[in-house]
């Protein structure tokens, strides 16, 4: 479905948070999608090669250290919990029961901790202006409450901090050519599909300015990668 006022493409009947905890947990749906799709779509290798030449790898540790000043970082939808590496202090929110258990144990060993629950709810349990960085890596497409979670990130982020977001790129050439078999589609846990404009619009409503990271590869990239900063900060 499409919302003209917010320019989102979204799933009309998303599963409840309770179903996403176990039945549709990320680690299950990801493996199922990978098995069915049998690998990349035709334009994906070209996009990966371009990202490689531009230094845009999946491992963002060095960029995170630079953007977040080796401070406290909140990873929403943190999975197994090891995306934020020391000397940064890792914190997380994870809905999957199994992943949360693993992430919390690892993060506590490195000075942080992980909360279990929906990102848009659990984020309000952290202190105001506490984090140097907030990471939403392949998370926001799973979240029905997009604006609340972004407002929560704004509240818990220091004035000099930043929010990293990576989501499927609904406007990509790959999606237009491949159609329903595009790798960014995953039912039922992908509930939002963003373009750069729709992502920037909702970020602005939460008090952020949007800075595009993958500006050169965006037209053929299956993902949008942005860094949000507090407006006037």
């Amino acid at each position: 479905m499409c919302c003209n006022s917010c320019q989102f493409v979204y799933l009309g009947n998303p599963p409840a948070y309770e179903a996403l905890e176990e039945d549709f947990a990320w680690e299950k749906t990801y493996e199922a999608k990978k098995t069915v799709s049998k690998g990349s779509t035709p334009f994906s290798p070209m996009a990966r090669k371009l990202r490689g030449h531009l230094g845009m790898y999946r491992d963002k540790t060095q960029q995170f250290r630079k953007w977040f000043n080796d401070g406290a970082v909140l990873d929403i939808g943190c999975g197994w919990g090891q995306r934020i590496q020391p000397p940064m202090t890792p914190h997380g929110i994870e809905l999957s029961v199994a992943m949360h258990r693993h992430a919390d144990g690892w993060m506590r060993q490195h000075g942080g901790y992980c909360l279990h629950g929906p990102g848009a709810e659990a984020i309000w349990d952290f202190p105001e202006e506490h984090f140097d960085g907030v990471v939403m890596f392949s998370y926001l497409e799973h979240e029905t409450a997009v604006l609340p979670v972004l407002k929560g990130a704004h509240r818990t982020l220091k004035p000099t901090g930043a929010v990293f977001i990576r989501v499927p790129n609904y406007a990509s050439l790959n999606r237009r050519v491949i159609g329903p078999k595009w790798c960014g589609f995953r039912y039922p846990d992908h509930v939002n599909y963003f373009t750069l404009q729709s992502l920037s619009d909702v970020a602005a409503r939460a008090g952020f300015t949007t800075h595009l990271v993958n500006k050169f590869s965006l037209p053929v990239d299956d993902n949008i990668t942005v860094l949000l900063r507090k407006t006037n900060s």
Side-chain angles (χ1 to χ4, degrees):
M1 299 180 67
C2 180
C3 171
N4 292 328
S5 62
C6 58
Q7 300 180 359
F8 284 150
V9 176
Y10 63 94
L11 188 65
N13 56 337
Y17 283 130
E18 291 78 10
L20 294 174
E21 286 184 322
E22 294 198 40
D23 294 342
F24 299 121
W26 181 90
E27 67 271 25
K28 297 178 181 179
T29 59
Y30 176 79
E31 288 301 323
K33 172 68 175 180
K34 187 168 66 173
T35 299
V36 172
S37 65
K38 301 185 185 300
S40 301
T41 50
F43 287 97
S44 295
M46 178 173 61
R48 284 199 301 272
K49 185 176 181 180
L50 179 58
R51 290 198 299 271
H53 284 309
L54 296 173
M56 297 177 180
Y57 301 104
R58 272 185 175 267
D59 183 358
K60 296 290 184 182
T61 300
Q62 294 307 312
Q63 289 98 322
F64 288 166
R65 291 190 62 188
K66 178 181 177 182
W67 292 331
F68 307 147
N69 299 313
D70 284 344
V73 180
L74 174 62
D75 187 355
I76 308 178
C78 63
W80 300 111
Q82 296 174 297
R83 186 177 294 122
I84 307 303
Q85 294 287 326
M88 294 176 287
T89 304
H91 295 74
I93 301 173
E94 177 53 46
L95 187 60
S96 164
V97 174
M99 285 184 162
H100 164 261
R101 188 180 303 114
H102 185 279
D104 187 53
W106 187 86
M107 289 180 177
R108 288 182 184 278
Q109 293 176 18
H110 298 280
Y113 58 93
C114 181
L115 297 181
H116 176 251
E121 297 175 8
I123 194 169
W124 299 91
D125 292 332
F126 290 104
E128 293 185 32
E129 298 189 357
H130 181 71
F131 291 108
D132 297 276
V134 176
V135 171
M136 303 183 191
F137 197 111
S138 299
Y139 156 76
L140 206 58
E141 63 269 28
H142 299 264
E143 179 57 72
T144 56
V146 173
L147 185 57
V149 78
L150 288 176
K151 287 184 175 180
H154 190 280
R155 170 188 169 276
T156 197
L157 190 69
K158 293 179 181 178
T160 56
V163 178
F164 173 88
I165 296 177
R166 177 183 183 269
V167 291
N169 178 14
Y170 188 77
S172 70
L173 177 62
N174 204 15
R175 196 274 304 172
R176 296 172 188 273
V177 172
I178 300 304
K181 294 184 178 181
W182 177 53
C183 61
F185 289 130
R186 196 162 80 231
Y187 178 83
D189 57 315
H190 281 193
V191 298
N192 286 306
Y193 294 92
F194 295 93
T195 65
L196 177 59
Q197 181 178 349
S198 66
L199 182 58
S200 300
D201 287 348
V202 71
R205 292 169 63 193
F208 291 108
T209 56
T210 300
H211 306 271
L212 182 62
V213 174
N214 60 332
K215 61 180 66 177
F216 298 111
S217 65
L218 184 66
V220 295
D221 201 325
D222 287 322
N223 295 287
I224 303 167
T225 305
V226 300
L227 200 67
L228 307 184
R229 300 272 185 190
K230 286 188 172 183
T231 304
N232 298 324
S233 65

